[in-house]
Amino acid sequence: REIKARVMASLGLLVSAKLIAIEVPFLFKHIVDTLTLSAEHANDVQMVVPVGLILGYGVARSTATIFSEAKNAIFAVVAQKGMPREL
């Protein structure tokens, strides 16, 4: 039962990490497009959005890495129990 829960948690983290990894390039494209528009009409208010998007990009990359590492940590127990034991 514990192994099944760990496998399901690992699978959930794997899917989450992949979805975030897929979203990151689109977020980066949106950041670049917003910075291009903001450069034409630069003022303090319009620079808040691109800076927020850049911070969001960093958070998304970090979150994808954290989910991937958490998946590996959770699944390590399952992998260890699945290996044959020496006599």
Side-chain angles (χ1 to χ4, degrees):
R1 197 133 180 101
E2 178 189 350
I3 291 177
K4 185 176 181 179
R6 286 184 177 271
V7 169
M8 294 307 289
S10 179
L11 183 62
L13 289 169
L14 173 69
V15 170
S16 298
K18 294 299 179 184
L19 288 175
I20 291 171
I22 290 170
E23 183 62 30
V24 166
F26 293 108
L27 181 60
F28 192 66
K29 177 198 175 299
H30 189 65
I31 292 169
V32 170
D33 291 345
T34 304
L35 285 173
T36 302
L37 294 174
S38 295
E40 296 171 359
H41 306 92
N43 64 33
D44 292 337
V45 175
Q46 289 179 338
M47 290 307 288
V48 170
V49 173
V51 170
L53 289 172
I54 290 171
L55 292 174
Y57 173 76
V59 169
R61 293 283 299 191
S62 299
T63 303
T65 302
I66 289 168
F67 280 176
S68 180
E69 292 298 322
K71 173 199 57 98
N72 291 337
I74 289 172
F75 196 71
V77 174
V78 175
Q80 289 296 320
K81 288 185 179 181
M83 296 179 71
R85 298 177 191 214
E86 292 185 32
L87 297 176

